[in-house]
Amino acid sequence: MLSALLLSLAALSAGTPTGPIRQYTGIARAAPDARVLYREVHYLFDSADGPREMVLYRCPDGRPFARKWLDTRTPQAPDFAFRDARSGYREGVRTQAGQRVVYVHKVGAKKTRSAPLPMVPTPVIDSGFDAFVRAHWDALAAGQTLKLRFLVPSRLKFLDFAIARRHDPDAARQGLMVLRLRLDSWLAFALPHIDVGYARDTHRLRWFRGLSNLRDIHGENLTVVLRYPPDLRETDVPAERLRTAREAKLDGRCRLR
C-alpha cells in the first residue's frame, strides 16, 4: 500500500508548469478567540500532465507542516494526496490501472485503510466543492437547495449533503453570497455545518467557517474561520517560488492549539 501511495504522490507532484502560476492564501483563525492557527498557500498551474494544484500549510511562524497535491483534470472530483507531518495523518484518492481508490491513515494507526472509490451521482471530492459551487451558481443564487455526495475519506465513503443559500443582509451589502453545507439527514439540525461566503462578482471564495480538513494532535478536526484576502492573490508568480514550496521540508512541531 505504501508503495502505491508513493507512486500516486509522485504522479500528482510531477510536471513542470507550462504557463502562469497562480497563488492565493487563506488565513485560518481559531473560532473562539481569533488566534491565527495556520496559513494555507495555494499554487495552481497547468502542466503537460494536466492542471495541478498544490497547497502548502504553514504554522503561524511560517514553518510548513502539511502539503496537499491535487490533479484537477476532473475539477469536481479530483485525485488528491494530503499528508500532515505533525501526526502522520494521510488521506487521498488515487487512480491506478484505471481504478480509483480512497485511502486514509489516521492518527496513531498502524496501517493505511483503503477501499475502491464508490460510483455515485454528483460526486464531490475535496476542493471539488468550489467547482460544484461555480457550476451551480445560478441555481444556488436563485435559492434552490441542491443535493450532492461529498467524499469523507476518514470513512472511505461518500455522504449525502445539501447546500443552499442563506439569507444574510450584512453579507449581501458586502457583495457576498453565503451558502450553508450540511448533512442531508433528519439529524442535520444537531450536527456541525459549514458556511462559506463567495464574492458575487468574481464567484471566488472569500471566507469559510466550520470544521477544517486539518486536525489537532488527537485527530479531531479543528473549527476555524478561514479567510482568503483578495490582496493575497497573484496571477503570475515566479516558478522558483513554486519550486521552493514543493521542495520545502515539512516540520512536525506545529501544534495548532
PDB file of all heavy atoms in Angstrom, residues 134-166:
ATOM      1  N   ARG A 134     -19.354  26.809  -8.382  1.00  0.00           N
ATOM      2  CA  ARG A 134     -19.258  27.600  -9.605  1.00  0.00           C
ATOM      3  C   ARG A 134     -20.174  27.029 -10.701  1.00  0.00           C
ATOM      4  O   ARG A 134     -20.822  27.786 -11.433  1.00  0.00           O
ATOM      5  CB  ARG A 134     -17.820  27.631 -10.094  1.00  0.00           C
ATOM      6  CG  ARG A 134     -16.866  28.418  -9.183  1.00  0.00           C
ATOM      7  CD  ARG A 134     -15.427  28.201  -9.625  1.00  0.00           C
ATOM      8  NE  ARG A 134     -14.481  28.832  -8.745  1.00  0.00           N
ATOM      9  CZ  ARG A 134     -13.982  30.050  -8.918  1.00  0.00           C
ATOM     10  NH1 ARG A 134     -14.373  30.780  -9.947  1.00  0.00           N
ATOM     11  NH2 ARG A 134     -13.112  30.546  -8.050  1.00  0.00           N
ATOM     12  N   ALA A 135     -20.222  25.711 -10.804  1.00  0.00           N
ATOM     13  CA  ALA A 135     -21.031  25.084 -11.849  1.00  0.00           C
ATOM     14  C   ALA A 135     -22.526  25.260 -11.609  1.00  0.00           C
ATOM     15  O   ALA A 135     -23.321  25.222 -12.553  1.00  0.00           O
ATOM     16  CB  ALA A 135     -20.687  23.599 -11.952  1.00  0.00           C
ATOM     17  N   HIS A 136     -22.920  25.456 -10.344  1.00  0.00           N
ATOM     18  CA  HIS A 136     -24.341  25.560  -9.992  1.00  0.00           C
ATOM     19  C   HIS A 136     -24.669  26.933  -9.412  1.00  0.00           C
ATOM     20  O   HIS A 136     -25.625  27.085  -8.654  1.00  0.00           O
ATOM     21  CB  HIS A 136     -24.715  24.459  -8.992  1.00  0.00           C
ATOM     22  CG  HIS A 136     -24.535  23.067  -9.522  1.00  0.00           C
ATOM     23  ND1 HIS A 136     -23.324  22.407  -9.475  1.00  0.00           N
ATOM     24  CD2 HIS A 136     -25.408  22.222 -10.136  1.00  0.00           C
ATOM     25  CE1 HIS A 136     -23.460  21.206 -10.017  1.00  0.00           C
ATOM     26  NE2 HIS A 136     -24.707  21.070 -10.424  1.00  0.00           N
ATOM     27  N   TRP A 137     -23.885  27.928  -9.808  1.00  0.00           N
ATOM     28  CA  TRP A 137     -24.018  29.262  -9.223  1.00  0.00           C
ATOM     29  C   TRP A 137     -25.436  29.833  -9.397  1.00  0.00           C
ATOM     30  O   TRP A 137     -26.034  30.317  -8.434  1.00  0.00           O
ATOM     31  CB  TRP A 137     -22.998  30.209  -9.850  1.00  0.00           C
ATOM     32  CG  TRP A 137     -23.021  31.575  -9.238  1.00  0.00           C
ATOM     33  CD1 TRP A 137     -23.765  32.651  -9.650  1.00  0.00           C
ATOM     34  CD2 TRP A 137     -22.294  32.003  -8.083  1.00  0.00           C
ATOM     35  NE1 TRP A 137     -23.537  33.734  -8.826  1.00  0.00           N
ATOM     36  CE2 TRP A 137     -22.639  33.358  -7.864  1.00  0.00           C
ATOM     37  CE3 TRP A 137     -21.385  31.392  -7.235  1.00  0.00           C
ATOM     38  CZ2 TRP A 137     -22.096  34.103  -6.816  1.00  0.00           C
ATOM     39  CZ3 TRP A 137     -20.847  32.122  -6.186  1.00  0.00           C
ATOM     40  CH2 TRP A 137     -21.204  33.465  -5.988  1.00  0.00           C
ATOM     41  N   ASP A 138     -25.958  29.772 -10.586  1.00  0.00           N
ATOM     42  CA  ASP A 138     -27.253  30.395 -10.851  1.00  0.00           C
ATOM     43  C   ASP A 138     -28.360  29.743 -10.023  1.00  0.00           C
ATOM     44  O   ASP A 138     -29.237  30.434  -9.479  1.00  0.00           O
ATOM     45  CB  ASP A 138     -27.589  30.308 -12.335  1.00  0.00           C
ATOM     46  CG  ASP A 138     -26.699  31.211 -13.184  1.00  0.00           C
ATOM     47  OD1 ASP A 138     -26.064  32.123 -12.610  1.00  0.00           O
ATOM     48  OD2 ASP A 138     -26.612  30.986 -14.404  1.00  0.00           O
ATOM     49  N   ALA A 139     -28.324  28.412  -9.920  1.00  0.00           N
ATOM     50  CA  ALA A 139     -29.350  27.720  -9.139  1.00  0.00           C
ATOM     51  C   ALA A 139     -29.247  28.074  -7.653  1.00  0.00           C
ATOM     52  O   ALA A 139     -30.260  28.299  -6.984  1.00  0.00           O
ATOM     53  CB  ALA A 139     -29.226  26.208  -9.329  1.00  0.00           C
ATOM     54  N   LEU A 140     -28.025  28.143  -7.142  1.00  0.00           N
ATOM     55  CA  LEU A 140     -27.836  28.491  -5.732  1.00  0.00           C
ATOM     56  C   LEU A 140     -28.248  29.938  -5.473  1.00  0.00           C
ATOM     57  O   LEU A 140     -28.888  30.242  -4.460  1.00  0.00           O
ATOM     58  CB  LEU A 140     -26.379  28.263  -5.331  1.00  0.00           C
ATOM     59  CG  LEU A 140     -25.936  26.793  -5.286  1.00  0.00           C
ATOM     60  CD1 LEU A 140     -24.418  26.696  -5.200  1.00  0.00           C
ATOM     61  CD2 LEU A 140     -26.578  26.070  -4.110  1.00  0.00           C
ATOM     62  N   ALA A 141     -27.861  30.832  -6.390  1.00  0.00           N
ATOM     63  CA  ALA A 141     -28.223  32.242  -6.234  1.00  0.00           C
ATOM     64  C   ALA A 141     -29.732  32.436  -6.271  1.00  0.00           C
ATOM     65  O   ALA A 141     -30.273  33.361  -5.644  1.00  0.00           O
ATOM     66  CB  ALA A 141     -27.550  33.080  -7.320  1.00  0.00           C
ATOM     67  N   ALA A 142     -30.444  31.550  -6.981  1.00  0.00           N
ATOM     68  CA  ALA A 142     -31.893  31.636  -7.076  1.00  0.00           C
ATOM     69  C   ALA A 142     -32.592  31.052  -5.856  1.00  0.00           C
ATOM     70  O   ALA A 142     -33.825  31.089  -5.768  1.00  0.00           O
ATOM     71  CB  ALA A 142     -32.375  30.921  -8.335  1.00  0.00           C
ATOM     72  N   GLY A 143     -31.810  30.486  -4.928  1.00  0.00           N
ATOM     73  CA  GLY A 143     -32.388  29.970  -3.691  1.00  0.00           C
ATOM     74  C   GLY A 143     -32.697  28.487  -3.685  1.00  0.00           C
ATOM     75  O   GLY A 143     -33.316  27.996  -2.734  1.00  0.00           O
ATOM     76  N   GLN A 144     -32.259  27.765  -4.710  1.00  0.00           N
ATOM     77  CA  GLN A 144     -32.519  26.331  -4.739  1.00  0.00           C
ATOM     78  C   GLN A 144     -31.637  25.598  -3.725  1.00  0.00           C
ATOM     79  O   GLN A 144     -30.493  25.988  -3.474  1.00  0.00           O
ATOM     80  CB  GLN A 144     -32.261  25.764  -6.136  1.00  0.00           C
ATOM     81  CG  GLN A 144     -33.194  26.274  -7.200  1.00  0.00           C
ATOM     82  CD  GLN A 144     -32.941  25.614  -8.544  1.00  0.00           C
ATOM     83  OE1 GLN A 144     -32.514  24.462  -8.618  1.00  0.00           O
ATOM     84  NE2 GLN A 144     -33.187  26.344  -9.617  1.00  0.00           N
ATOM     85  N   THR A 145     -32.162  24.519  -3.159  1.00  0.00           N
ATOM     86  CA  THR A 145     -31.384  23.617  -2.322  1.00  0.00           C
ATOM     87  C   THR A 145     -30.927  22.455  -3.192  1.00  0.00           C
ATOM     88  O   THR A 145     -31.756  21.771  -3.810  1.00  0.00           O
ATOM     89  CB  THR A 145     -32.207  23.090  -1.139  1.00  0.00           C
ATOM     90  OG1 THR A 145     -32.584  24.187  -0.298  1.00  0.00           O
ATOM     91  CG2 THR A 145     -31.403  22.089  -0.318  1.00  0.00           C
ATOM     92  N   LEU A 146     -29.615  22.237  -3.239  1.00  0.00           N
ATOM     93  CA  LEU A 146     -29.054  21.196  -4.097  1.00  0.00           C
ATOM     94  C   LEU A 146     -28.486  20.064  -3.256  1.00  0.00           C
ATOM     95  O   LEU A 146     -27.977  20.276  -2.150  1.00  0.00           O
ATOM     96  CB  LEU A 146     -27.959  21.778  -4.987  1.00  0.00           C
ATOM     97  CG  LEU A 146     -28.362  22.963  -5.878  1.00  0.00           C
ATOM     98  CD1 LEU A 146     -27.175  23.390  -6.735  1.00  0.00           C
ATOM     99  CD2 LEU A 146     -29.560  22.614  -6.756  1.00  0.00           C
ATOM    100  N   LYS A 147     -28.553  18.865  -3.801  1.00  0.00           N
ATOM    101  CA  LYS A 147     -28.008  17.679  -3.141  1.00  0.00           C
ATOM    102  C   LYS A 147     -26.702  17.284  -3.815  1.00  0.00           C
ATOM    103  O   LYS A 147     -26.531  17.440  -5.025  1.00  0.00           O
ATOM    104  CB  LYS A 147     -29.004  16.513  -3.223  1.00  0.00           C
ATOM    105  CG  LYS A 147     -30.411  16.851  -2.717  1.00  0.00           C
ATOM    106  CD  LYS A 147     -30.401  17.158  -1.236  1.00  0.00           C
ATOM    107  CE  LYS A 147     -31.808  17.480  -0.741  1.00  0.00           C
ATOM    108  NZ  LYS A 147     -32.721  16.322  -0.786  1.00  0.00           N
ATOM    109  N   LEU A 148     -25.788  16.774  -3.023  1.00  0.00           N
ATOM    110  CA  LEU A 148     -24.520  16.301  -3.550  1.00  0.00           C
ATOM    111  C   LEU A 148     -24.004  15.181  -2.672  1.00  0.00           C
ATOM    112  O   LEU A 148     -24.423  15.025  -1.527  1.00  0.00           O
ATOM    113  CB  LEU A 148     -23.480  17.421  -3.635  1.00  0.00           C
ATOM    114  CG  LEU A 148     -23.038  18.080  -2.319  1.00  0.00           C
ATOM    115  CD1 LEU A 148     -21.610  18.575  -2.430  1.00  0.00           C
ATOM    116  CD2 LEU A 148     -23.941  19.275  -1.998  1.00  0.00           C
ATOM    117  N   ARG A 149     -23.085  14.397  -3.229  1.00  0.00           N
ATOM    118  CA  ARG A 149     -22.417  13.338  -2.467  1.00  0.00           C
ATOM    119  C   ARG A 149     -20.991  13.792  -2.234  1.00  0.00           C
ATOM    120  O   ARG A 149     -20.214  13.935  -3.174  1.00  0.00           O
ATOM    121  CB  ARG A 149     -22.442  12.017  -3.240  1.00  0.00           C
ATOM    122  CG  ARG A 149     -23.814  11.582  -3.715  1.00  0.00           C
ATOM    123  CD  ARG A 149     -24.762  11.289  -2.573  1.00  0.00           C
ATOM    124  NE  ARG A 149     -24.290  10.219  -1.706  1.00  0.00           N
ATOM    125  CZ  ARG A 149     -24.431   8.910  -1.958  1.00  0.00           C
ATOM    126  NH1 ARG A 149     -25.000   8.515  -3.096  1.00  0.00           N
ATOM    127  NH2 ARG A 149     -24.010   8.004  -1.113  1.00  0.00           N
ATOM    128  N   PHE A 150     -20.641  14.028  -0.975  1.00  0.00           N
ATOM    129  CA  PHE A 150     -19.314  14.561  -0.626  1.00  0.00           C
ATOM    130  C   PHE A 150     -18.484  13.437  -0.014  1.00  0.00           C
ATOM    131  O   PHE A 150     -18.930  12.744   0.911  1.00  0.00           O
ATOM    132  CB  PHE A 150     -19.465  15.710   0.369  1.00  0.00           C
ATOM    133  CG  PHE A 150     -18.288  16.638   0.404  1.00  0.00           C
ATOM    134  CD1 PHE A 150     -18.299  17.835  -0.284  1.00  0.00           C
ATOM    135  CD2 PHE A 150     -17.147  16.308   1.123  1.00  0.00           C
ATOM    136  CE1 PHE A 150     -17.209  18.692  -0.262  1.00  0.00           C
ATOM    137  CE2 PHE A 150     -16.053  17.147   1.159  1.00  0.00           C
ATOM    138  CZ  PHE A 150     -16.086  18.343   0.461  1.00  0.00           C
ATOM    139  N   LEU A 151     -17.265  13.274  -0.527  1.00  0.00           N
ATOM    140  CA  LEU A 151     -16.404  12.200  -0.038  1.00  0.00           C
ATOM    141  C   LEU A 151     -15.845  12.550   1.341  1.00  0.00           C
ATOM    142  O   LEU A 151     -15.297  13.629   1.544  1.00  0.00           O
ATOM    143  CB  LEU A 151     -15.242  11.962  -1.009  1.00  0.00           C
ATOM    144  CG  LEU A 151     -14.286  10.831  -0.606  1.00  0.00           C
ATOM    145  CD1 LEU A 151     -14.990   9.476  -0.678  1.00  0.00           C
ATOM    146  CD2 LEU A 151     -13.041  10.845  -1.489  1.00  0.00           C
ATOM    147  N   VAL A 152     -15.984  11.619   2.276  1.00  0.00           N
ATOM    148  CA  VAL A 152     -15.378  11.740   3.607  1.00  0.00           C
ATOM    149  C   VAL A 152     -14.304  10.655   3.689  1.00  0.00           C
ATOM    150  O   VAL A 152     -14.599   9.496   4.006  1.00  0.00           O
ATOM    151  CB  VAL A 152     -16.427  11.576   4.721  1.00  0.00           C
ATOM    152  CG1 VAL A 152     -15.770  11.738   6.101  1.00  0.00           C
ATOM    153  CG2 VAL A 152     -17.547  12.591   4.543  1.00  0.00           C
ATOM    154  N   PRO A 153     -13.037  11.000   3.368  1.00  0.00           N
ATOM    155  CA  PRO A 153     -12.001   9.972   3.295  1.00  0.00           C
ATOM    156  C   PRO A 153     -11.822   9.180   4.595  1.00  0.00           C
ATOM    157  O   PRO A 153     -11.514   7.986   4.549  1.00  0.00           O
ATOM    158  CB  PRO A 153     -10.736  10.773   2.958  1.00  0.00           C
ATOM    159  CG  PRO A 153     -11.238  11.987   2.254  1.00  0.00           C
ATOM    160  CD  PRO A 153     -12.527  12.320   2.947  1.00  0.00           C
ATOM    161  N   SER A 154     -12.026   9.832   5.739  1.00  0.00           N
ATOM    162  CA  SER A 154     -11.844   9.123   7.007  1.00  0.00           C
ATOM    163  C   SER A 154     -12.827   7.969   7.159  1.00  0.00           C
ATOM    164  O   SER A 154     -12.599   7.036   7.921  1.00  0.00           O
ATOM    165  CB  SER A 154     -11.993  10.088   8.183  1.00  0.00           C
ATOM    166  OG  SER A 154     -13.286  10.669   8.214  1.00  0.00           O
ATOM    167  N   ARG A 155     -13.945   8.022   6.418  1.00  0.00           N
ATOM    168  CA  ARG A 155     -14.931   6.937   6.430  1.00  0.00           C
ATOM    169  C   ARG A 155     -14.881   6.090   5.171  1.00  0.00           C
ATOM    170  O   ARG A 155     -15.666   5.151   5.011  1.00  0.00           O
ATOM    171  CB  ARG A 155     -16.337   7.501   6.607  1.00  0.00           C
ATOM    172  CG  ARG A 155     -16.527   8.265   7.912  1.00  0.00           C
ATOM    173  CD  ARG A 155     -17.987   8.547   8.148  1.00  0.00           C
ATOM    174  NE  ARG A 155     -18.218   9.337   9.343  1.00  0.00           N
ATOM    175  CZ  ARG A 155     -19.414   9.618   9.837  1.00  0.00           C
ATOM    176  NH1 ARG A 155     -20.499   9.170   9.233  1.00  0.00           N
ATOM    177  NH2 ARG A 155     -19.539  10.347  10.925  1.00  0.00           N
ATOM    178  N   LEU A 156     -14.025   6.469   4.231  1.00  0.00           N
ATOM    179  CA  LEU A 156     -13.850   5.738   2.971  1.00  0.00           C
ATOM    180  C   LEU A 156     -15.140   5.686   2.155  1.00  0.00           C
ATOM    181  O   LEU A 156     -15.377   4.730   1.404  1.00  0.00           O
ATOM    182  CB  LEU A 156     -13.343   4.312   3.227  1.00  0.00           C
ATOM    183  CG  LEU A 156     -12.019   4.178   3.973  1.00  0.00           C
ATOM    184  CD1 LEU A 156     -11.667   2.701   4.145  1.00  0.00           C
ATOM    185  CD2 LEU A 156     -10.894   4.910   3.263  1.00  0.00           C
ATOM    186  N   LYS A 157     -15.969   6.716   2.263  1.00  0.00           N
ATOM    187  CA  LYS A 157     -17.222   6.693   1.516  1.00  0.00           C
ATOM    188  C   LYS A 157     -17.771   8.108   1.339  1.00  0.00           C
ATOM    189  O   LYS A 157     -17.324   9.058   1.983  1.00  0.00           O
ATOM    190  CB  LYS A 157     -18.261   5.831   2.225  1.00  0.00           C
ATOM    191  CG  LYS A 157     -18.691   6.347   3.575  1.00  0.00           C
ATOM    192  CD  LYS A 157     -19.726   5.408   4.210  1.00  0.00           C
ATOM    193  CE  LYS A 157     -20.224   5.905   5.556  1.00  0.00           C
ATOM    194  NZ  LYS A 157     -21.236   4.992   6.145  1.00  0.00           N
ATOM    195  N   PHE A 158     -18.753   8.213   0.446  1.00  0.00           N
ATOM    196  CA  PHE A 158     -19.472   9.461   0.229  1.00  0.00           C
ATOM    197  C   PHE A 158     -20.630   9.549   1.224  1.00  0.00           C
ATOM    198  O   PHE A 158     -21.250   8.538   1.566  1.00  0.00           O
ATOM    199  CB  PHE A 158     -20.038   9.536  -1.189  1.00  0.00           C
ATOM    200  CG  PHE A 158     -19.010   9.729  -2.265  1.00  0.00           C
ATOM    201  CD1 PHE A 158     -18.448   8.638  -2.908  1.00  0.00           C
ATOM    202  CD2 PHE A 158     -18.615  11.006  -2.639  1.00  0.00           C
ATOM    203  CE1 PHE A 158     -17.511   8.813  -3.926  1.00  0.00           C
ATOM    204  CE2 PHE A 158     -17.677  11.197  -3.655  1.00  0.00           C
ATOM    205  CZ  PHE A 158     -17.124  10.096  -4.287  1.00  0.00           C
ATOM    206  N   LEU A 159     -20.934  10.772   1.658  1.00  0.00           N
ATOM    207  CA  LEU A 159     -22.116  11.022   2.472  1.00  0.00           C
ATOM    208  C   LEU A 159     -23.018  12.005   1.740  1.00  0.00           C
ATOM    209  O   LEU A 159     -22.551  12.804   0.924  1.00  0.00           O
ATOM    210  CB  LEU A 159     -21.724  11.591   3.839  1.00  0.00           C
ATOM    211  CG  LEU A 159     -20.911  10.672   4.763  1.00  0.00           C
ATOM    212  CD1 LEU A 159     -20.640  11.384   6.093  1.00  0.00           C
ATOM    213  CD2 LEU A 159     -21.625   9.346   5.006  1.00  0.00           C
ATOM    214  N   ASP A 160     -24.302  11.941   2.035  1.00  0.00           N
ATOM    215  CA  ASP A 160     -25.277  12.833   1.406  1.00  0.00           C
ATOM    216  C   ASP A 160     -25.272  14.190   2.097  1.00  0.00           C
ATOM    217  O   ASP A 160     -25.437  14.286   3.324  1.00  0.00           O
ATOM    218  CB  ASP A 160     -26.680  12.234   1.506  1.00  0.00           C
ATOM    219  CG  ASP A 160     -26.833  10.978   0.679  1.00  0.00           C
ATOM    220  OD1 ASP A 160     -26.306  10.957  -0.445  1.00  0.00           O
ATOM    221  OD2 ASP A 160     -27.457  10.023   1.155  1.00  0.00           O
ATOM    222  N   PHE A 161     -25.097  15.250   1.310  1.00  0.00           N
ATOM    223  CA  PHE A 161     -25.120  16.611   1.818  1.00  0.00           C
ATOM    224  C   PHE A 161     -26.124  17.434   1.033  1.00  0.00           C
ATOM    225  O   PHE A 161     -26.517  17.082  -0.088  1.00  0.00           O
ATOM    226  CB  PHE A 161     -23.738  17.268   1.698  1.00  0.00           C
ATOM    227  CG  PHE A 161     -22.768  16.851   2.773  1.00  0.00           C
ATOM    228  CD1 PHE A 161     -22.071  15.651   2.672  1.00  0.00           C
ATOM    229  CD2 PHE A 161     -22.548  17.656   3.883  1.00  0.00           C
ATOM    230  CE1 PHE A 161     -21.177  15.271   3.654  1.00  0.00           C
ATOM    231  CE2 PHE A 161     -21.664  17.279   4.870  1.00  0.00           C
ATOM    232  CZ  PHE A 161     -20.975  16.085   4.760  1.00  0.00           C
ATOM    233  N   ALA A 162     -26.530  18.550   1.628  1.00  0.00           N
ATOM    234  CA  ALA A 162     -27.371  19.538   0.955  1.00  0.00           C
ATOM    235  C   ALA A 162     -26.718  20.898   1.097  1.00  0.00           C
ATOM    236  O   ALA A 162     -26.085  21.194   2.120  1.00  0.00           O
ATOM    237  CB  ALA A 162     -28.772  19.560   1.561  1.00  0.00           C
ATOM    238  N   ILE A 163     -26.859  21.730   0.085  1.00  0.00           N
ATOM    239  CA  ILE A 163     -26.284  23.078   0.108  1.00  0.00           C
ATOM    240  C   ILE A 163     -27.345  24.062  -0.355  1.00  0.00           C
ATOM    241  O   ILE A 163     -28.103  23.785  -1.296  1.00  0.00           O
ATOM    242  CB  ILE A 163     -25.016  23.171  -0.782  1.00  0.00           C
ATOM    243  CG1 ILE A 163     -24.414  24.573  -0.698  1.00  0.00           C
ATOM    244  CG2 ILE A 163     -25.308  22.764  -2.206  1.00  0.00           C
ATOM    245  CD1 ILE A 163     -23.084  24.691  -1.406  1.00  0.00           C
ATOM    246  N   ALA A 164     -27.416  25.199   0.334  1.00  0.00           N
ATOM    247  CA  ALA A 164     -28.412  26.210  -0.014  1.00  0.00           C
ATOM    248  C   ALA A 164     -27.915  27.585   0.410  1.00  0.00           C
ATOM    249  O   ALA A 164     -27.069  27.722   1.305  1.00  0.00           O
ATOM    250  CB  ALA A 164     -29.753  25.906   0.659  1.00  0.00           C
ATOM    251  N   ARG A 165     -28.444  28.615  -0.245  1.00  0.00           N
ATOM    252  CA  ARG A 165     -28.104  29.998   0.097  1.00  0.00           C
ATOM    253  C   ARG A 165     -28.771  30.378   1.411  1.00  0.00           C
ATOM    254  O   ARG A 165     -29.911  30.011   1.683  1.00  0.00           O
ATOM    255  CB  ARG A 165     -28.555  30.929  -1.024  1.00  0.00           C
ATOM    256  CG  ARG A 165     -28.317  32.405  -0.743  1.00  0.00           C
ATOM    257  CD  ARG A 165     -28.597  33.232  -1.986  1.00  0.00           C
ATOM    258  NE  ARG A 165     -29.934  33.053  -2.492  1.00  0.00           N
ATOM    259  CZ  ARG A 165     -31.009  33.700  -2.031  1.00  0.00           C
ATOM    260  NH1 ARG A 165     -30.892  34.571  -1.043  1.00  0.00           N
ATOM    261  NH2 ARG A 165     -32.196  33.480  -2.567  1.00  0.00           N
ATOM    262  N   ARG A 166     -28.034  31.142   2.221  1.00  0.00           N
ATOM    263  CA  ARG A 166     -28.571  31.659   3.480  1.00  0.00           C
ATOM    264  C   ARG A 166     -28.934  33.132   3.322  1.00  0.00           C
ATOM    265  O   ARG A 166     -28.239  33.871   2.615  1.00  0.00           O
ATOM    266  CB  ARG A 166     -27.556  31.527   4.614  1.00  0.00           C
ATOM    267  CG  ARG A 166     -27.247  30.102   5.036  1.00  0.00           C
ATOM    268  CD  ARG A 166     -26.525  30.115   6.371  1.00  0.00           C
ATOM    269  NE  ARG A 166     -27.397  30.629   7.424  1.00  0.00           N
ATOM    270  CZ  ARG A 166     -26.958  31.210   8.534  1.00  0.00           C
ATOM    271  NH1 ARG A 166     -25.666  31.390   8.725  1.00  0.00           N
ATOM    272  NH2 ARG A 166     -27.814  31.638   9.448  1.00  0.00           N
TER     273      ARG A 166
END
